[in-house]
């Protein structure tokens, strides 16, 4: 036997060959049988390796490959036109954004977006089923230690748009954009692929049947969505639609999502270590508390210890004092959540979770197995499921594997799980390269029918709380290790993903069913019948009606805004009826908090400055949480309270003028008389600038107008409305004074809410830039002559050496344009409808500008000329005449240009 081992070791020169051969020797098989099994196993390996190293397409992107990146939120997640995401951690083979032509920064999933820390290797869809008795799976070929993506050769779905590889993009940010129609999120990507292309793809034959890829006959629509809001920035949603485009029924269809996780920094070009952990969450504590539990289907993955540097987590890249490398901690966690499928996910025993640790040698391939569910995937291996038959088997095995960290707790005579080889258990127990598979089914898919699957890729912040936590693994105290992992942010984001897809408590299809709710009782009393009756309770909708909404939590509607130029100023009028009367879709509360007024010199969001604000007088109550992890601390759980609510709850009376909310602070908290262990203090929720014209410069246009919400509907008469039909009570005004009349300004008014602390939802604000209005202040005092045009042309003379661009008078936010194309001469105080003609001294028409705007448009009395003639050429230095003609009058003037 030693001779056999020596011969084979000499032939293959593989480090682990001795262990591999020994695994057969221990079975006491005869020499011939042993040799045949070993050689047959390696014969298959050699064929696969030979095919893998053949220069069919190398590491180049296949002709139908198209990659993009979700980067509007805090996640930067790469996806492509196959049912695949990630795969871009190798800086030597960067992806090219097929929409922009630019190189995508390395990193399958960077988090935060601008870091170089990745939390994903790749994710890929599997679809398996039975067609006329034949077991087929369309996925990617499983090659141990040869993850050659993106060669395209091991992929079994390819672009429906072959060979161009098209991805459609949509966005709901700009209603005037061509991308707005049909959009779901701020960043939609849509692609279509099929498994029907067989020529020139997937050169790796099926492991068992040794045949090329055989299609199921599927079309795969891959839609993904991302938002930038505070409660959505850690989420990317996938909306998959799988169609049977073949002629045969596909029976017992299962859909799987394969995840290979790679966590680490890319500052040196490649992820440095492969020591990941992960697992499956099925039941979690509800973020709303009160002891409620939520059912989830979440596969999570993280680095085993968060990669502390010298005993501490570092938020920014730093130099390792020992190695000299630039390193960063990776203390966050990524996860894939199954949101929806057309099957009972909770009661139907329809979801499977499996993981494996793949290795080139089959004896080191390992994945958990139930004792009664044993299946050897290939010679000596239990891990990587090679071939369609094995892939299908693992998708439908209905197992929920234990978390990899618990492999060391499986004993030799465990009643449920097979006893793992102890050398394998040792390798896995402190972190390794893991592949996870989340599967759901079965479904029957007739020709022409569709199968919708909804998923979410989510991140959770600050998952690792103890830089020395890995020591618990080495001591075998797995429970202590888990006690130092903080799943709360991940669970909160997983909840928001479900709620975005199906808004809780919303009857979307108007069939009378709005979902399910819970009642959390905070206080109760015994009634005369000795029955406990709730006195303080909170009702929370936690489940929708099952009909997709695809709508995140939103701020109150923005107010209606009118902008009117005044002499060296701007008058802003706005009406907030919708802002103040529209309840939040999730909490059912009127969560309006206030308004903010912004001014900018150009339309970039970063250019806007806050001029004034108004917000309701209310206070946040911070409560001492004895159970807060990793140590006790203050929590904000409740909605803001008004001063009257605080006095009624905690003062001697609702009119107690001696109760000072600011008396209490973290070092001197309020202690409830009836519940001494209940400690809390108050802070202003915003700025509490709530007195119009006093603490805020915003004023009410009709300060004596009654609140129509407090009056009977039949008492609301025409006197309650403005001349243009808006309720006077919600009318506000703000005046901007002493601004430069010769430059354009952008003005907007936003509405804000007070958030939802218990769900981790921060206050939301309407878009600063959406619906912003451009305006020029009047250059002539109306008192001089309201009916006179008194047209002003500036700058006059126009001098090229005045450097107007550097001074901000032209070319703002146009850095990519040539100076000759941003020059501007302004005509101010012109009629809303007129014709501007510029003539040379010889009387030749140089340029004619037709100005036609609504008189209510804030730019109605302003026009620009770019110093370009009617022939498209730049004008020359000289004296010019201008003529402004309208229906009522004509005005003439001179203009000097010095270039």
């Amino acid at each position: 036997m030693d001779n056999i081992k020596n011969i084979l070791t000499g032939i293959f020169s593989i480090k682990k060959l001795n262990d591999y051969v020994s695994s057969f020797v221990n079975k006491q098989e005869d020499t011939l049988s042993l040799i045949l099994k070993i050689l047959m196993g390696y014969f298959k390996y050699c064929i696969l390796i030979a095919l893998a190293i053949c220069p069919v397409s190398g590491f180049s992107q296949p002709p139908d490959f198209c990659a993009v990146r979700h980067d509007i939120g805090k996640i930067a997640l790469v996806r492509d036109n196959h049912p695949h995401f990630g795969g871009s951690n190798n800086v030597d083979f960067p992806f090219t954004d097929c929409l922009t032509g630019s190189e995508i920064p390395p990193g399958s999933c960077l988090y935060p977006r601008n870091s170089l820390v990745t939390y994903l290797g790749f994710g890929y869809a599997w679809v398996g089923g039975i067609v006329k008795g034949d077991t087929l799976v369309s996925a990617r070929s499983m090659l141990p230690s040869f993850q050659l993506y993106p060669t395209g050769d091991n992929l079994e779905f390819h672009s429906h748009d072959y060979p161009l590889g098209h991805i459609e993009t949509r966005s709901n940010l700009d209603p005037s954009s061509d991308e707005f129609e049909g959009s779901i999120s701020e960043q939609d990507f849509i692609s279509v692929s099929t498994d029907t292309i067989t020529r020139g793809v997937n050169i790796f034959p099926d492991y068992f049947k040794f045949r090329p890829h055989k299609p199921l006959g599927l079309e795969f629509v891959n839609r993904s969505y991302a938002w930038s809001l505070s409660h959505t920035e850690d989420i990317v949603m996938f909306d998959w639609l799988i169609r049977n485009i073949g002629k045969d029924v596909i029976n017992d269809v299962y859909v799987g999502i394969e995840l290979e996780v790679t966590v680490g920094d890319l500052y040196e070009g490649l992820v440095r270590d492969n020591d990941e952990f992960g697992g499956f969450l099925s039941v979690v504590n509800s973020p709303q508390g009160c002891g409620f539990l939520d059912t989830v289907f979440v596969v999570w993955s993280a680095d085993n210890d968060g990669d502390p540097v010298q005993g501490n987590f570092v938020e920014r890249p730093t130099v390792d004092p020992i190695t000299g490398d630039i390193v960063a901690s990776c203390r966050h966690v990524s996860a894939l959540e199954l949101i929806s499928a057309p099957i009972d996910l909770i009661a139907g025993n329809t979801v499977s979770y499996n993981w494996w640790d793949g290795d080139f040698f089959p004896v080191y391939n390992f994945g958990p197995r139930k004792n009664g569910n044993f299946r050897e995937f290939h010679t000596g291996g239990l891990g990587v499921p090679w071939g369609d038959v094995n892939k299908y088997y693992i998708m439908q095995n209905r197992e929920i594997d234990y978390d990899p960290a618990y492999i060391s707790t499986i004993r030799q005579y465990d009643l449920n799980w097979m006893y793992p080889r102890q050398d394998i258990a040792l390798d896995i127990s402190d972190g390794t390269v893991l592949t996870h598979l989340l599967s759901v089914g079965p479904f029957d898919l007739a020709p022409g029918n569709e199968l919708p699957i909804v998923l979410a890729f989510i991140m959770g912040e600050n998952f690792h709380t103890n830089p020395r936590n890995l020591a618990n693994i080495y001591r075998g105290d797995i429970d202590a290790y888990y006690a130092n992992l903080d799943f709360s942010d991940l669970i909160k984001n997983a909840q928001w993903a479900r709620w975005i897809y199906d808004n809780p408590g919303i009857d979307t299809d108007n069939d009378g069913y709005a979902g399910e709710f819970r009642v959390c009782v905070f206080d109760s009393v015994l009634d005369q019948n000795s029955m406990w009756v709730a006195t303080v309770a909170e009702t929370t909708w936690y489940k929708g009606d099952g009909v997709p909404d695809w709508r995140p939590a939103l701020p109150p509607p923005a107010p209606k805004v009118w902008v009117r130029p005044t002499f060296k100023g701007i008058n802003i009028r706005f009406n907030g009826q919708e802002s103040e009367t529209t309840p939040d879709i999730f909490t059912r509360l009127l969560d309006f908090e206030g308004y903010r007024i912004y001014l900018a010199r150009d339309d970039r969001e970063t250019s806007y400055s806050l001029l004034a604000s108004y917000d309701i007088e209310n206070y946040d109550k911070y409560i001492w949480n004895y159970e807060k992890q990793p140590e006790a601390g203050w929590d904000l759980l409740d909605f803001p309270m008004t001063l009257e609510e605080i006095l009624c709850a905690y003062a001697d009376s609702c009119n107690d003028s001696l109760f000072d909310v600011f008396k209490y602070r973290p070092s001197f908290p309020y202690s409830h008389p009836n519940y001494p262990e209940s400690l809390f203090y108050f802070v202003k929720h915003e700025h509490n600038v709530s007195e119009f014209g006093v603490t805020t410069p915003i004023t009410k246009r009709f300060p004596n107008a009654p609140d129509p919400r407090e009056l009977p509907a039949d008492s609301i008469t025409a006197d309650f409305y403005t001349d243009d039909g808006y309720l006077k009570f919600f009318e506000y005004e703000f005046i901007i004074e002493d601004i430069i009349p010769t430059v354009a300004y952008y003005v907007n008014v936003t509405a804000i809410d007070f958030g939802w602390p218990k769900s981790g939802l921060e206050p939301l604000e309407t878009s600063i830039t959406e619906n912003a209005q451009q305006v020029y202040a009047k250059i002539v005092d109306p008192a001089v002559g309201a009916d006179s045009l008194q047209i002003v042309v500036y700058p006059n003379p126009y001098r090229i050496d005045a450097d107007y661009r550097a001074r901000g008078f032209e070319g703002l936010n146009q850095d990519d344009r040539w100076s000759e194309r941003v020059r501007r001469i302004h005509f101010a105080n012109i009629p809303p409808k007129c014709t501007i003609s510029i003539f040379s001294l010889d009387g030749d028409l140089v340029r004619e500008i037709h100005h036609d705007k609504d008189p209510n448009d804030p730019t109605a009395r302003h026009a620009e000329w770019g110093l370009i003639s009617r022939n498209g050429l730049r004008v020359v230095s000289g004296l010019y005449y201008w003529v402004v003609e309208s229906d009522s009058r004509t005005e003439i003037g001179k203009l000097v240009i010095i270039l």
Side-chain angles (χ1 to χ4, degrees):
M1 194 58 62
D2 289 338
N3 290 333
I4 295 174
K5 291 169 61 177
N6 292 336
I7 292 171
L8 292 174
T9 303
I11 293 175
F12 296 105
S13 300
I14 302 296
K15 179 180 178 181
K16 295 182 179 178
L17 185 57
N18 286 338
D19 291 337
Y20 178 67
V21 175
S22 296
S23 68
F24 287 100
V25 174
N26 293 336
K27 296 179 181 180
Q28 301 296 318
E29 299 198 32
D30 63 85
T31 303
L32 179 60
S33 173
L34 172 61
I35 295 175
L36 287 176
K37 281 195 173 185
I38 294 175
L39 290 180
M40 182 57 70
Y42 275 97
F43 176 69
K44 289 187 175 182
Y45 280 125
C46 291
I47 291 177
L48 294 176
I49 294 168
L51 290 172
I53 63 177
C54 286
V56 177
S57 60
F59 280 96
S60 63
Q61 295 174 358
D64 71 326
F65 183 81
C66 177
V68 289
R69 188 171 81 152
H70 279 294
D71 55 6
I72 200 166
K74 200 171 179 179
I75 292 178
L77 180 68
V78 175
R79 59 147 292 187
D80 56 54
N81 55 331
H82 309 118
H84 174 276
F85 50 96
S88 62
N89 284 336
N90 194 328
V91 297
D92 294 326
F93 303 98
F95 287 178
T96 298
D97 189 313
C98 61
L99 299 179
T100 66
S102 60
E103 185 177 296
I104 297 176
S108 294
C109 173
L110 300 183
Y111 187 83
R113 180 182 64 243
N114 294 322
S115 73
L116 276 177
V117 180
T118 183
Y119 287 86
L120 175 68
F122 64 81
Y124 200 84
W126 295 14
V127 185
I130 310 297
V131 180
K132 293 182 176 180
D134 197 359
T135 301
L136 303 176
V137 176
S138 291
R140 71 177 187 96
S141 293
M142 307 299 297
L143 290 177
S145 303
F146 281 90
Q147 312 299 348
L148 294 186
Y149 191 85
T151 67
D153 298 328
N154 64 334
L155 305 180
E156 296 178 347
F157 280 100
H158 280 263
S159 173
H160 184 65
D161 198 19
Y162 186 85
L164 298 179
H166 175 68
I167 290 182
E168 182 182 355
T169 179
R170 298 174 187 165
S171 173
N172 63 14
L173 286 175
D174 183 4
S176 64
S177 170
D178 293 338
E179 297 180 350
F180 181 80
E181 185 176 357
S183 61
I184 296 294
S185 72
E186 297 174 41
Q187 193 178 51
D188 298 5
F189 293 134
I190 305 99
S191 63
V192 181
S193 57
T194 70
D195 74 338
T196 58
I197 300 173
T198 58
R199 186 174 180 179
V201 300
N202 193 357
I203 63 172
F204 307 109
D206 185 276
Y207 178 81
F208 280 110
K209 300 183 179 180
F210 213 74
R211 66 184 181 190
H213 165 58
K214 184 176 181 180
L216 281 158
L218 300 173
E219 181 181 76
F220 202 116
V221 182
N222 183 8
R223 296 168 293 202
S224 56
Y225 313 126
W227 297 262
S228 63
L229 300 168
S230 60
H231 65 295
T232 62
E233 62 183 0
D234 294 344
I235 303 169
V236 174
M237 305 284 288
F238 288 92
D239 184 15
W240 287 352
L241 192 65
I242 304 166
R243 295 191 181 103
N244 183 351
I245 58 175
K247 298 179 180 180
D248 300 312
V249 175
I250 310 175
N251 296 116
D252 296 330
V253 174
Y254 287 85
V255 178
I257 305 93
E258 173 197 359
L259 287 172
E260 184 181 276
V261 180
T262 303
V263 182
D265 67 71
L266 293 162
Y267 289 95
E268 295 299 320
L270 291 171
V271 180
R272 264 191 283 274
D273 53 9
N274 294 296
D275 52 3
E276 287 77 38
F277 269 150
F280 185 72
L281 300 177
S282 58
V283 178
V284 297
N285 292 318
S286 170
Q288 276 67 55
C290 208
F292 292 120
L293 299 176
D294 289 337
T295 299
V296 297
F297 303 94
V298 173
V299 178
W300 64 270
S301 302
D303 187 80
N304 62 350
D305 64 352
D307 284 353
V309 179
Q310 295 297 293
N312 293 289
F313 296 123
V314 293
E315 299 298 328
R316 299 177 180 274
T318 187
V319 177
D320 190 310
I322 297 178
T323 65
D325 294 335
I326 299 176
V327 294
S329 294
C330 43
R331 62 182 301 198
H332 311 306
V333 58
S334 66
L336 185 78
E337 179 180 20
L338 175 62
I339 303 289
S340 175
I343 198 169
D344 190 339
L345 296 178
I346 297 177
N349 191 25
T350 56
V351 176
S352 301
Y353 164 68
N354 300 95
W355 62 263
W356 58 84
D357 178 18
D359 193 275
F360 184 84
F361 284 87
V363 72
Y364 286 95
N365 268 283
F366 177 79
R369 289 287 188 283
K370 288 285 185 71
N371 284 323
N373 207 17
F374 175 79
R375 184 186 181 107
E376 190 175 273
F377 281 160
H378 45 81
T379 307
L382 297 172
V384 179
W386 294 3
D388 285 1
V389 173
N390 282 333
K391 290 177 186 174
Y392 185 80
Y393 167 80
I394 197 170
M395 278 195 290
Q396 58 82 51
N397 68 4
R398 289 183 169 83
E399 281 188 7
I400 301 295
D401 288 352
Y402 53 80
D403 289 2
Y406 282 95
I407 188 172
S408 59
T409 67
I410 306 301
R411 301 306 177 200
Q412 186 169 4
Y413 300 105
D414 192 280
L415 297 178
N416 293 312
W417 297 99
M418 287 181 55
Y419 182 56
R421 280 184 47 151
Q422 290 306 287
D423 53 348
I424 295 175
L426 183 63
D427 286 341
I428 294 174
S429 63
D430 60 353
T432 187
V433 180
L434 292 172
T435 301
H436 308 264
L437 184 70
L438 180 65
S439 311
V440 60
F443 317 92
D444 286 332
L445 200 57
N449 283 6
E450 299 175 336
L451 173 59
I453 302 290
V454 179
L455 307 156
F457 187 87
I458 52 182
M459 295 295 303
E461 286 190 326
N462 300 329
F463 178 67
H464 287 287
T465 63
N466 182 355
R468 298 166 180 81
N469 192 29
L470 197 57
N472 286 310
I473 293 290
Y474 297 140
R475 286 193 292 265
D477 193 346
I478 314 302
D479 292 339
Y481 174 82
Y482 269 70
N484 287 306
L485 302 179
D486 186 357
F487 286 91
S488 61
D489 192 57
L490 181 72
I491 293 170
K492 177 195 70 177
N493 291 332
Q495 173 187 260
W496 275 114
R498 299 191 300 276
W499 284 3
I500 290 168
Y501 169 70
D502 184 11
N503 295 168
I506 301 297
D507 183 8
T508 307
D509 58 358
N510 297 312
D511 66 350
Y513 175 68
E516 299 178 15
F517 63 87
R518 295 163 172 157
V519 178
C520 185
V521 178
F522 298 105
D523 200 1
S524 59
V525 297
L526 279 172
D527 65 7
Q528 58 185 3
N529 297 319
S530 298
M531 300 291 292
W532 286 102
V533 178
T535 56
V536 180
E538 180 181 78
T539 299
T540 302
W541 290 86
Y542 71 97
K543 188 177 180 181
D545 65 347
V547 180
D549 296 289
W550 290 115
R551 181 172 55 173
L554 297 172
K560 173 67 176 176
V561 180
W562 297 265
V563 176
R564 180 172 58 86
T566 61
F567 176 56
K568 294 185 179 180
I570 302 170
N571 178 278
I572 302 172
R573 167 200 166 195
F574 61 98
N575 186 284
Q577 178 179 345
E578 290 190 17
S579 305
E580 299 179 40
T581 61
T582 303
D584 182 85
I585 61 173
F586 290 103
T587 65
R588 302 296 192 279
L589 299 177
L590 290 175
D591 60 351
F592 168 77
E593 175 67 21
Y595 300 108
R596 292 172 180 168
I597 299 177
Y598 293 91
L599 182 71
R601 282 289 312 279
D602 59 64
D603 58 357
R604 294 174 298 177
E605 183 172 351
T606 54
S607 300
Y608 283 82
S609 298
L610 179 64
L611 292 187
S613 65
Y614 158 81
D615 67 275
I616 296 171
E617 182 185 4
N618 50 16
Y619 303 85
D620 288 325
K621 183 177 76 171
Y622 284 85
I623 302 173
W624 183 256
N625 182 356
Y626 294 92
E627 299 179 356
K628 188 178 180 70
Q629 295 295 329
E631 58 184 21
W634 297 99
D635 270 342
L636 175 62
L637 301 176
D638 300 327
F639 295 112
M641 302 177 68
T642 65
L643 181 59
E644 182 180 3
E645 289 172 336
I646 293 174
L647 294 179
C648 291
Y650 304 114
D652 291 338
S653 70
C654 296
N655 299 315
D656 187 352
S657 60
L658 299 178
F659 188 90
D660 182 8
V661 294
F662 299 117
K663 173 183 178 181
Y664 304 104
R665 52 195 182 275
S667 59
F668 184 70
Y670 176 88
S671 178
H672 198 287
N674 298 327
Y675 309 98
E677 73 281 0
S678 180
L679 306 174
F680 46 83
Y681 68 96
F682 304 95
V683 296
K684 292 180 181 180
H685 177 71
E686 281 281 339
H687 301 290
N688 285 357
V689 286
S690 56
E691 296 182 68
F692 293 104
V694 181
T695 57
T696 173
I698 299 172
T699 59
K700 269 187 170 284
R701 293 187 66 218
F702 305 96
N704 297 321
D707 187 345
R709 294 170 294 185
E710 299 176 355
L711 299 173
D714 57 3
S715 67
I716 308 300
T717 65
D719 293 337
F720 284 74
Y721 293 88
T722 62
D723 292 340
D724 49 357
Y726 292 87
L727 281 167
K728 292 180 180 179
F729 178 80
F730 301 103
E731 284 279 309
Y732 304 93
E733 188 174 46
F734 179 73
I735 298 174
I736 305 174
E737 298 177 325
D738 296 326
I739 61 173
I740 303 173
T742 56
V743 298
Y745 290 91
Y746 291 82
V747 174
N748 204 1
V749 183
T750 65
I752 57 175
D753 65 20
F754 51 64
W756 189 2
K758 190 173 290 186
S759 291
L761 180 60
E762 298 176 359
L764 299 177
E765 180 179 11
T766 57
S767 171
I768 294 176
T769 57
E770 189 175 341
N771 300 322
Q773 300 187 47
Q774 185 186 39
V775 61
Y776 289 85
K778 285 187 176 180
I779 200 168
V780 177
D781 191 336
V784 175
D787 298 327
S788 174
L789 286 179
Q790 298 184 16
I791 294 171
V792 176
V793 179
Y794 63 90
N796 190 8
Y798 184 96
R799 301 177 59 96
I800 194 172
D801 59 357
D803 204 5
Y804 298 121
R805 187 171 194 170
R807 294 162 62 186
F809 291 102
E810 60 189 19
L812 278 174
N813 199 25
Q814 295 179 307
D815 296 339
D816 58 336
R817 299 194 67 190
W818 184 33
S819 293
E820 297 293 341
R821 295 295 173 176
V822 299
R823 303 195 189 285
R824 293 289 183 269
I825 288 179
H826 301 261
F827 293 81
N829 215 36
I830 62 175
K833 295 184 179 182
C834 63
T835 299
I836 305 171
S837 303
I838 296 103
F839 297 92
S840 69
L841 281 177
D842 298 330
D844 295 328
L845 178 64
V846 177
R847 187 65 184 263
E848 188 172 78
I849 302 170
H850 296 283
H851 184 73
D852 187 356
K853 291 195 174 183
D854 188 307
N856 295 320
D857 189 316
T859 62
R861 294 185 174 275
H862 191 98
E864 299 175 344
W865 175 42
L867 281 72
I868 301 298
S869 72
R870 59 177 177 162
N871 297 321
L873 302 175
R874 190 190 77 174
V875 298
V876 298
S877 299
L879 177 64
Y880 296 83
Y881 289 99
W882 55 264
V883 179
V884 177
E885 298 177 278
S886 68
D887 293 339
S888 59
R889 62 174 298 169
T890 300
E891 189 164 338
I892 302 174
K894 297 178 183 179
L895 171 63
V896 176
I897 298 176
I898 304 173
L899 300 176

